[in-house]
Amino acid sequence: MSDTLRLLEALIARRSVTPDDAGCQDLLRTRLEAAGFTCETLVAGPEHFRVTNLWAIRRGGLPGPTIAFAGHTDVVPTGPLERWTSDPFVPSVRDGHLYGRGTADMKTSIAAFVVAAEHFVQAHPQHPGAIALLITSDEEGPSVDGTVRLVEMLRERGERLDACIVGEPTSVERLGDVIKNGRRGTLSGRLTVRGVQGHIAYPQLARNPIHDLAPALAELVATRWDGGNAFFPPTSWQVSNVHAGTGATNVIPGELVLDFNFRFSTESTVDGLKARVHAVLDRHGLDYGLAWTLGGEPFLTPPGTLSDALVGAIAAETGVAAELSTTGGTSDGRFIFKVCPQVVEFGPLNATIHKIDERVALAEVAPLTAIYQGTLQRFLLGGTS
Protein backbone atom coordinates (compact mmCIF):
# COMPACT_ATOMS: atom_id res chain seq x y z
CA MET A 1 0.00 0.00 0.00
CA SER A 2 1.34 3.44 -0.95
CA ASP A 3 1.99 6.24 1.55
CA THR A 4 -0.79 8.25 -0.05
CA LEU A 5 -3.35 5.46 0.19
CA ARG A 6 -2.52 4.81 3.84
CA LEU A 7 -2.94 8.49 4.68
CA LEU A 8 -6.12 8.71 2.62
CA GLU A 9 -7.71 5.79 4.46
CA ALA A 10 -6.81 7.35 7.80
CA LEU A 11 -8.48 10.61 6.74
CA ILE A 12 -11.63 8.90 5.49
CA ALA A 13 -11.97 7.06 8.80
CA ARG A 14 -12.37 10.40 10.58
CA ARG A 15 -16.00 11.56 10.54
CA SER A 16 -15.23 15.14 9.62
CA VAL A 17 -18.66 16.42 8.65
CA THR A 18 -18.43 20.20 8.36
CA PRO A 19 -17.27 22.01 10.45
CA ASP A 20 -15.84 19.13 12.52
CA ASP A 21 -12.27 18.39 11.49
CA ALA A 22 -12.40 15.22 13.64
CA GLY A 23 -8.63 15.15 14.09
CA CYS A 24 -7.68 15.14 10.40
CA GLN A 25 -5.48 18.20 10.72
CA ASP A 26 -3.72 16.83 13.79
CA LEU A 27 -2.73 13.85 11.67
CA LEU A 28 -1.49 16.12 8.89
CA ARG A 29 0.33 18.40 11.31
CA THR A 30 2.27 15.49 12.83
CA ARG A 31 3.46 14.38 9.40
CA LEU A 32 4.28 17.87 8.15
CA GLU A 33 6.25 18.82 11.25
CA ALA A 34 8.28 15.62 10.84
CA ALA A 35 9.07 16.81 7.29
CA GLY A 36 10.34 20.18 8.55
CA PHE A 37 7.21 22.29 8.22
CA THR A 38 6.30 24.95 10.77
CA CYS A 39 2.62 24.54 11.60
CA GLU A 40 -0.01 26.74 13.20
CA THR A 41 -3.58 25.85 14.10
CA LEU A 42 -6.17 28.62 13.99
CA VAL A 43 -9.58 27.90 15.52
CA ALA A 44 -12.35 30.36 14.68
CA GLY A 45 -16.11 30.75 14.70
CA PRO A 46 -18.87 30.64 17.31
CA GLU A 47 -19.05 27.88 19.92
CA HIS A 48 -21.75 26.00 18.01
CA PHE A 49 -19.73 26.06 14.76
CA ARG A 50 -16.03 25.88 15.57
CA VAL A 51 -13.78 25.76 12.53
CA THR A 52 -10.26 24.33 12.57
CA ASN A 53 -7.65 25.71 10.18
CA LEU A 54 -4.05 24.70 9.56
CA TRP A 55 -1.27 26.84 8.13
CA ALA A 56 2.01 25.04 7.41
CA ILE A 57 5.14 26.30 5.65
CA ARG A 58 8.62 24.99 4.95
CA ARG A 59 11.30 27.26 3.61
CA GLY A 60 14.15 25.75 1.64
CA GLY A 61 17.77 26.70 1.68
CA LEU A 62 17.72 29.13 -1.26
CA PRO A 63 15.64 32.20 -2.21
CA GLY A 64 12.68 31.51 -4.44
CA PRO A 65 8.91 31.65 -4.82
CA THR A 66 6.32 30.26 -2.42
CA ILE A 67 3.94 27.65 -3.75
CA ALA A 68 1.00 26.51 -1.66
CA PHE A 69 -1.51 23.68 -1.64
CA ALA A 70 -4.99 24.37 -0.29
CA GLY A 71 -7.74 22.02 0.74
CA HIS A 72 -10.50 21.18 3.18
CA THR A 73 -10.83 18.28 5.59
CA ASP A 74 -14.57 18.75 6.11
CA VAL A 75 -17.06 16.73 4.11
CA VAL A 76 -20.78 17.03 3.39
CA PRO A 77 -23.28 14.88 5.32
CA THR A 78 -23.64 11.30 4.12
CA GLY A 79 -27.33 11.27 3.29
CA PRO A 80 -29.31 8.07 4.02
CA LEU A 81 -26.84 5.53 5.41
CA GLU A 82 -28.98 2.63 4.23
CA ARG A 83 -28.34 3.67 0.64
CA TRP A 84 -24.57 3.34 0.99
CA THR A 85 -23.09 0.02 -0.04
CA SER A 86 -20.65 0.30 2.88
CA ASP A 87 -20.14 2.59 5.88
CA PRO A 88 -19.11 5.98 4.42
CA PHE A 89 -16.52 6.44 7.17
CA VAL A 90 -14.97 2.99 6.85
CA PRO A 91 -12.63 3.06 3.83
CA SER A 92 -13.70 0.16 1.64
CA VAL A 93 -11.99 -1.20 -1.47
CA ARG A 94 -13.95 -2.98 -4.19
CA ASP A 95 -13.99 -3.06 -7.97
CA GLY A 96 -10.76 -1.09 -8.16
CA HIS A 97 -12.13 1.87 -6.18
CA LEU A 98 -11.83 3.22 -2.66
CA TYR A 99 -15.26 4.12 -1.25
CA GLY A 100 -15.99 6.63 1.49
CA ARG A 101 -17.31 10.12 2.13
CA GLY A 102 -14.69 12.63 1.07
CA THR A 103 -12.66 10.33 -1.18
CA ALA A 104 -13.17 12.60 -4.19
CA ASP A 105 -13.97 15.84 -2.36
CA MET A 106 -11.28 16.19 -1.25
CA LYS A 107 -9.30 13.87 0.99
CA THR A 108 -7.54 12.15 -1.90
CA SER A 109 -6.07 15.47 -2.99
CA ILE A 110 -5.00 16.32 0.56
CA ALA A 111 -3.30 12.96 1.06
CA ALA A 112 -1.63 13.25 -2.36
CA PHE A 113 -0.23 16.74 -1.93
CA VAL A 114 0.97 16.09 1.62
CA VAL A 115 2.85 12.98 0.51
CA ALA A 116 4.12 14.80 -2.59
CA ALA A 117 5.51 17.55 -0.37
CA GLU A 118 7.12 14.99 1.95
CA HIS A 119 8.83 13.20 -0.93
CA PHE A 120 9.91 16.42 -2.60
CA VAL A 121 11.58 17.93 0.48
CA GLN A 122 13.22 14.59 1.28
CA ALA A 123 14.77 14.58 -2.18
CA HIS A 124 15.54 18.33 -2.19
CA PRO A 125 16.00 19.52 1.41
CA GLN A 126 17.69 22.74 0.27
CA HIS A 127 15.16 23.52 -2.42
CA PRO A 128 14.61 27.15 -3.46
CA GLY A 129 11.63 29.04 -2.13
CA ALA A 130 8.97 27.66 0.16
CA ILE A 131 6.13 25.14 0.20
CA ALA A 132 2.98 25.97 2.18
CA LEU A 133 -0.37 24.40 2.97
CA LEU A 134 -3.69 26.03 3.85
CA ILE A 135 -6.21 23.54 5.24
CA THR A 136 -9.69 24.35 6.56
CA SER A 137 -12.74 22.52 7.92
CA ASP A 138 -15.27 25.09 6.66
CA GLU A 139 -15.28 24.81 2.86
CA GLU A 140 -18.49 22.79 2.76
CA GLY A 141 -20.12 25.11 5.32
CA PRO A 142 -20.66 28.87 5.39
CA SER A 143 -17.01 29.51 4.41
CA VAL A 144 -16.79 32.36 6.89
CA ASP A 145 -14.22 31.18 9.46
CA GLY A 146 -12.08 28.94 7.30
CA THR A 147 -9.80 29.97 4.44
CA VAL A 148 -11.07 33.52 4.88
CA ARG A 149 -9.40 33.66 8.32
CA LEU A 150 -6.15 32.16 7.03
CA VAL A 151 -6.02 34.71 4.22
CA GLU A 152 -6.68 37.52 6.70
CA MET A 153 -3.81 36.22 8.85
CA LEU A 154 -1.43 36.18 5.87
CA ARG A 155 -2.44 39.70 4.84
CA GLU A 156 -1.90 41.02 8.35
CA ARG A 157 1.59 39.52 8.33
CA GLY A 158 2.34 40.86 4.89
CA GLU A 159 2.94 37.35 3.64
CA ARG A 160 2.17 36.77 -0.02
CA LEU A 161 1.99 33.51 -1.93
CA ASP A 162 3.29 33.25 -5.48
CA ALA A 163 1.23 30.27 -6.55
CA CYS A 164 -1.45 28.01 -5.12
CA ILE A 165 -3.04 24.72 -6.17
CA VAL A 166 -6.45 24.06 -4.64
CA GLY A 167 -7.09 20.32 -4.56
CA GLU A 168 -10.69 20.46 -5.79
CA PRO A 169 -11.83 17.47 -7.88
CA THR A 170 -11.65 18.97 -11.38
CA SER A 171 -11.05 15.98 -13.65
CA VAL A 172 -14.05 14.94 -15.74
CA GLU A 173 -13.34 11.91 -17.94
CA ARG A 174 -9.71 11.13 -17.13
CA LEU A 175 -7.32 12.21 -14.42
CA GLY A 176 -5.72 15.43 -15.60
CA ASP A 177 -8.12 16.42 -18.35
CA VAL A 178 -9.33 19.65 -16.69
CA ILE A 179 -7.64 22.33 -14.60
CA LYS A 180 -9.67 25.21 -13.22
CA ASN A 181 -7.77 28.45 -13.73
CA GLY A 182 -10.58 30.67 -12.49
CA ARG A 183 -14.16 30.76 -11.27
CA ARG A 184 -17.13 32.99 -11.87
CA GLY A 185 -18.31 35.31 -9.14
CA THR A 186 -21.58 34.68 -7.33
CA LEU A 187 -23.98 37.46 -6.31
CA SER A 188 -27.40 36.67 -4.86
CA GLY A 189 -30.42 38.84 -4.21
CA ARG A 190 -33.68 38.49 -2.29
CA LEU A 191 -36.31 40.73 -3.85
CA THR A 192 -39.46 41.61 -1.92
CA VAL A 193 -42.23 43.21 -3.99
CA ARG A 194 -44.95 44.83 -1.91
CA GLY A 195 -48.59 44.91 -3.02
CA VAL A 196 -51.95 45.19 -1.28
CA GLN A 197 -53.70 42.03 -0.14
CA GLY A 198 -57.36 41.67 -0.97
CA HIS A 199 -60.23 39.51 -2.18
CA ILE A 200 -59.61 38.07 -5.60
CA ALA A 201 -63.12 39.09 -6.70
CA TYR A 202 -62.36 42.76 -5.97
CA PRO A 203 -59.03 43.43 -7.70
CA GLN A 204 -59.74 47.15 -7.75
CA LEU A 205 -59.34 47.15 -3.96
CA ALA A 206 -56.01 45.33 -4.01
CA ARG A 207 -52.66 45.40 -5.85
CA ASN A 208 -51.16 42.12 -6.99
CA PRO A 209 -47.35 42.05 -6.57
CA ILE A 210 -47.11 39.08 -8.94
CA HIS A 211 -48.71 41.09 -11.73
CA ASP A 212 -46.59 44.12 -10.83
CA LEU A 213 -43.36 42.14 -11.07
CA ALA A 214 -44.15 40.21 -14.25
CA PRO A 215 -43.00 42.83 -16.82
CA ALA A 216 -39.83 43.59 -14.89
CA LEU A 217 -39.11 39.88 -14.46
CA ALA A 218 -39.47 39.32 -18.18
CA GLU A 219 -36.99 42.12 -18.83
CA LEU A 220 -34.47 40.75 -16.32
CA VAL A 221 -34.71 37.27 -17.84
CA ALA A 222 -34.12 38.67 -21.34
CA THR A 223 -31.22 40.95 -20.37
CA ARG A 224 -27.78 40.24 -21.81
CA TRP A 225 -25.51 41.16 -18.92
CA ASP A 226 -22.22 40.77 -20.77
CA GLY A 227 -20.70 38.71 -23.56
CA GLY A 228 -18.12 36.86 -21.46
CA ASN A 229 -14.57 36.63 -22.76
CA ALA A 230 -11.94 34.13 -23.82
CA PHE A 231 -11.94 32.55 -20.36
CA PHE A 232 -15.51 33.04 -19.07
CA PRO A 233 -18.97 32.40 -20.52
CA PRO A 234 -21.44 35.28 -20.43
CA THR A 235 -22.81 36.27 -17.04
CA SER A 236 -26.03 34.45 -16.18
CA TRP A 237 -29.02 35.54 -14.07
CA GLN A 238 -31.29 32.84 -12.67
CA VAL A 239 -34.30 32.76 -10.35
CA SER A 240 -34.10 30.00 -7.73
CA ASN A 241 -37.22 30.57 -5.60
CA VAL A 242 -40.51 32.49 -5.80
CA HIS A 243 -43.08 32.72 -3.03
CA ALA A 244 -46.34 34.63 -2.84
CA GLY A 245 -49.83 34.01 -1.58
CA THR A 246 -51.53 32.74 1.56
CA GLY A 247 -52.35 29.30 0.20
CA ALA A 248 -55.97 30.29 -0.40
CA THR A 249 -57.19 30.52 -3.99
CA ASN A 250 -59.41 33.56 -3.41
CA VAL A 251 -56.82 35.95 -1.92
CA ILE A 252 -54.62 38.37 -3.85
CA PRO A 253 -51.23 38.24 -2.09
CA GLY A 254 -49.84 41.30 -0.39
CA GLU A 255 -46.21 40.39 -0.98
CA LEU A 256 -43.94 38.41 -3.30
CA VAL A 257 -40.44 37.20 -2.40
CA LEU A 258 -38.07 36.14 -5.16
CA ASP A 259 -34.52 34.76 -4.82
CA PHE A 260 -32.09 35.11 -7.70
CA ASN A 261 -28.40 34.64 -8.42
CA PHE A 262 -25.78 36.02 -10.79
CA ARG A 263 -22.85 33.87 -11.85
CA PHE A 264 -20.72 36.60 -13.33
CA SER A 265 -17.55 36.93 -15.33
CA THR A 266 -14.73 39.42 -15.04
CA GLU A 267 -16.56 41.47 -17.69
CA SER A 268 -19.07 42.61 -15.04
CA THR A 269 -18.70 44.21 -11.62
CA VAL A 270 -20.75 43.80 -8.47
CA ASP A 271 -21.75 47.46 -8.39
CA GLY A 272 -22.60 47.43 -12.09
CA LEU A 273 -24.88 44.40 -11.82
CA LYS A 274 -26.65 45.82 -8.78
CA ALA A 275 -27.22 49.15 -10.51
CA ARG A 276 -28.67 47.51 -13.61
CA VAL A 277 -31.14 45.42 -11.58
CA HIS A 278 -32.29 48.42 -9.57
CA ALA A 279 -32.72 50.41 -12.78
CA VAL A 280 -35.09 47.79 -14.20
CA LEU A 281 -37.12 47.57 -11.00
CA ASP A 282 -37.33 51.36 -10.67
CA ARG A 283 -38.31 51.83 -14.31
CA HIS A 284 -41.30 49.54 -13.76
CA GLY A 285 -42.38 51.52 -10.70
CA LEU A 286 -42.27 48.65 -8.23
CA ASP A 287 -42.65 49.07 -4.49
CA TYR A 288 -39.81 46.78 -3.43
CA GLY A 289 -36.93 45.96 -1.15
CA LEU A 290 -33.78 44.17 -2.26
CA ALA A 291 -31.15 42.53 -0.05
CA TRP A 292 -27.84 41.53 -1.69
CA THR A 293 -25.34 38.81 -0.72
CA LEU A 294 -21.93 38.60 -2.39
CA GLY A 295 -20.70 35.01 -2.30
CA GLY A 296 -17.43 35.70 -4.07
CA GLU A 297 -15.71 37.78 -6.73
CA PRO A 298 -14.62 36.14 -9.98
CA PHE A 299 -10.95 35.32 -10.29
CA LEU A 300 -8.76 34.31 -13.19
CA THR A 301 -5.21 33.05 -13.52
CA PRO A 302 -4.02 33.47 -17.12
CA PRO A 303 -1.61 30.83 -18.44
CA GLY A 304 1.74 31.27 -16.71
CA THR A 305 4.41 29.55 -14.66
CA LEU A 306 2.01 27.67 -12.38
CA SER A 307 -0.31 26.34 -15.06
CA ASP A 308 2.69 25.50 -17.26
CA ALA A 309 4.24 23.47 -14.43
CA LEU A 310 0.99 21.64 -13.70
CA VAL A 311 0.15 20.97 -17.35
CA GLY A 312 3.67 19.62 -17.87
CA ALA A 313 3.46 17.36 -14.82
CA ILE A 314 0.08 15.99 -15.93
CA ALA A 315 1.34 15.26 -19.44
CA ALA A 316 4.47 13.55 -18.12
CA GLU A 317 2.51 11.31 -15.75
CA THR A 318 -0.64 10.54 -17.75
CA GLY A 319 -0.07 11.66 -21.33
CA VAL A 320 -3.20 13.82 -21.05
CA ALA A 321 -3.26 17.35 -22.47
CA ALA A 322 -5.03 19.31 -19.73
CA GLU A 323 -7.66 21.91 -20.60
CA LEU A 324 -7.91 25.17 -18.67
CA SER A 325 -11.50 25.91 -17.62
CA THR A 326 -13.51 28.31 -15.45
CA THR A 327 -16.77 26.33 -15.34
CA GLY A 328 -18.55 25.13 -12.21
CA GLY A 329 -19.41 26.68 -8.89
CA THR A 330 -17.28 28.48 -6.34
CA SER A 331 -14.27 27.33 -4.34
CA ASP A 332 -11.90 28.71 -1.74
CA GLY A 333 -9.82 29.99 -4.61
CA ARG A 334 -12.08 33.06 -4.49
CA PHE A 335 -10.44 33.98 -1.18
CA ILE A 336 -6.88 32.84 -1.87
CA PHE A 337 -6.48 34.92 -5.03
CA LYS A 338 -6.48 38.02 -2.82
CA VAL A 339 -3.00 37.07 -1.54
CA CYS A 340 -1.81 35.02 -4.49
CA PRO A 341 -1.51 36.05 -8.16
CA GLN A 342 -1.67 32.49 -9.52
CA VAL A 343 -4.43 30.18 -8.26
CA VAL A 344 -5.52 27.01 -10.02
CA GLU A 345 -7.56 24.00 -8.97
CA PHE A 346 -6.72 20.42 -9.77
CA GLY A 347 -7.71 17.05 -8.40
CA PRO A 348 -9.34 13.68 -9.12
CA LEU A 349 -12.54 12.90 -11.01
CA ASN A 350 -15.59 14.77 -9.81
CA ALA A 351 -18.28 12.30 -10.98
CA THR A 352 -19.22 11.09 -7.46
CA ILE A 353 -18.69 14.16 -5.29
CA HIS A 354 -21.44 14.70 -2.68
CA LYS A 355 -23.12 11.48 -3.87
CA ILE A 356 -24.01 8.19 -2.23
CA ASP A 357 -21.06 5.76 -2.59
CA GLU A 358 -18.55 8.51 -3.27
CA ARG A 359 -15.34 6.93 -4.52
CA VAL A 360 -11.96 7.34 -6.20
CA ALA A 361 -10.18 4.91 -8.52
CA LEU A 362 -7.21 3.28 -6.81
CA ALA A 363 -5.24 3.54 -10.05
CA GLU A 364 -5.42 7.35 -9.85
CA VAL A 365 -4.07 7.83 -6.32
CA ALA A 366 -0.36 7.34 -7.08
CA PRO A 367 -0.47 9.33 -10.35
CA LEU A 368 -2.14 12.27 -8.58
CA THR A 369 0.66 12.27 -6.01
CA ALA A 370 3.24 12.16 -8.80
CA ILE A 371 1.56 15.07 -10.60
CA TYR A 372 1.67 17.25 -7.48
CA GLN A 373 5.30 16.32 -6.88
CA GLY A 374 6.16 16.94 -10.52
CA THR A 375 4.56 20.36 -10.30
CA LEU A 376 6.76 21.23 -7.32
CA GLN A 377 9.76 20.03 -9.29
CA ARG A 378 8.94 22.21 -12.29
CA PHE A 379 7.83 25.27 -10.38
CA LEU A 380 10.62 25.44 -7.79
CA LEU A 381 13.51 23.78 -9.62
CA GLY A 382 12.61 24.35 -13.25
CA GLY A 383 13.14 20.67 -13.95
CA THR A 384 11.01 18.08 -15.67
CA SER A 385 11.61 15.02 -13.48
Side-chain angles (χ1 to χ4, degrees):
M1 183 184 294
S2 70
D3 287 346
T4 305
L5 188 55
R6 277 193 292 268
L7 177 55
L8 173 56
E9 290 189 340
L11 292 172
I12 294 170
R14 286 161 169 78
R15 298 174 180 265
S16 56
V17 177
T18 190
D20 186 6
D21 170 70
C24 291
Q25 292 177 32
D26 286 341
L27 176 61
L28 300 178
R29 178 171 184 154
T30 298
R31 293 185 66 127
L32 291 167
E33 287 179 339
F37 283 77
T38 300
C39 299
E40 298 178 59
T41 296
L42 174 64
V43 178
E47 287 296 331
H48 68 280
F49 204 91
R50 301 299 276 174
V51 175
T52 306
N53 303 295
L54 177 66
W55 162 250
I57 188 165
R58 184 189 190 280
R59 304 185 191 280
L62 297 169
T66 298
I67 181 171
F69 292 100
H72 59 91
T73 52
D74 60 316
V75 300
V76 296
T78 62
L81 290 174
E82 65 273 13
R83 293 182 56 197
W84 284 75
T85 307
S86 55
D87 189 322
F89 294 106
V90 175
S92 304
V93 174
R94 58 183 180 277
D95 303 323
H97 289 79
L98 178 65
Y99 287 74
R101 177 55 87 217
T103 47
D105 189 13
M106 56 179 294
K107 291 181 176 180
T108 296
S109 293
I110 289 175
F113 62 58
V114 167
V115 171
E118 290 174 337
H119 290 177
F120 178 81
V121 300
Q122 184 177 20
H124 308 284
Q126 297 301 311
H127 63 83
I131 303 170
L133 291 91
L134 300 90
I135 311 294
T136 183
S137 69
D138 185 32
E139 198 274 347
E140 301 290 8
S143 297
V144 171
D145 292 299
T147 301
V148 171
R149 300 295 176 226
L150 290 174
V151 167
E152 288 175 352
M153 181 186 76
L154 295 179
R155 294 179 77 170
E156 289 171 0
R157 296 177 179 179
E159 186 146 11
R160 184 173 173 84
L161 308 175
D162 295 290
C164 181
I165 300 174
V166 184
E168 288 291 340
T170 60
S171 300
V172 179
E173 300 292 338
R174 296 182 59 190
L175 178 67
D177 59 359
V178 175
I179 297 168
K180 303 288 187 182
N181 67 319
R183 295 277 189 163
R184 293 174 295 173
T186 175
L187 175 65
S188 297
R190 170 159 286 188
L191 171 65
T192 301
V193 179
R194 294 178 285 268
V196 177
Q197 183 173 314
H199 196 292
I200 206 162
Y202 300 94
Q204 72 277 15
L205 301 178
R207 191 175 75 252
N208 194 322
I210 302 174
H211 295 186
D212 287 352
L213 176 62
L217 180 59
E219 183 174 342
L220 290 167
V221 170
T223 297
R224 178 178 171 85
W225 303 97
D226 62 46
N229 55 36
F231 297 100
F232 289 97
T235 290
S236 68
W237 185 85
Q238 291 290 319
V239 174
S240 57
N241 292 283
V242 181
H243 177 77
T246 64
T249 59
N250 61 350
V251 178
I252 293 172
E255 183 178 271
L256 176 148
V257 178
L258 178 144
D259 296 320
F260 64 84
N261 176 264
F262 282 106
R263 292 302 167 105
F264 63 103
S265 76
T266 50
E267 296 298 307
S268 290
T269 65
V270 173
D271 289 342
L273 293 172
K274 288 181 178 180
R276 292 177 69 183
V277 171
H278 281 285
V280 171
L281 300 175
D282 292 341
R283 186 163 56 251
H284 287 273
L286 297 177
D287 179 8
Y288 73 93
L290 180 50
W292 294 96
T293 301
L294 177 63
E297 297 268 9
F299 72 92
L300 175 68
T301 297
T305 54
L306 177 58
S307 59
D308 288 349
L310 182 54
V311 167
I314 290 170
E317 181 62 28
T318 68
V320 173
E323 171 194 354
L324 298 180
S325 171
T326 62
T327 59
T330 59
S331 77
D332 277 356
R334 69 189 190 274
F335 308 125
I336 298 169
F337 90 99
K338 295 178 181 179
V339 292
C340 184
Q342 297 188 80
V343 180
V344 301
E345 303 168 27
F346 174 69
L349 269 66
N350 59 21
T352 64
I353 60 175
H354 294 203
K355 291 185 177 181
I356 302 294
D357 281 347
E358 182 180 352
R359 59 195 176 273
V360 66
L362 293 173
E364 295 174 355
V365 174
L368 181 61
T369 307
I371 289 168
Y372 287 145
Q373 186 173 345
T375 303
L376 290 173
Q377 178 85 21
R378 287 167 169 76
F379 190 82
L380 292 178
L381 303 180
T384 58
S385 62

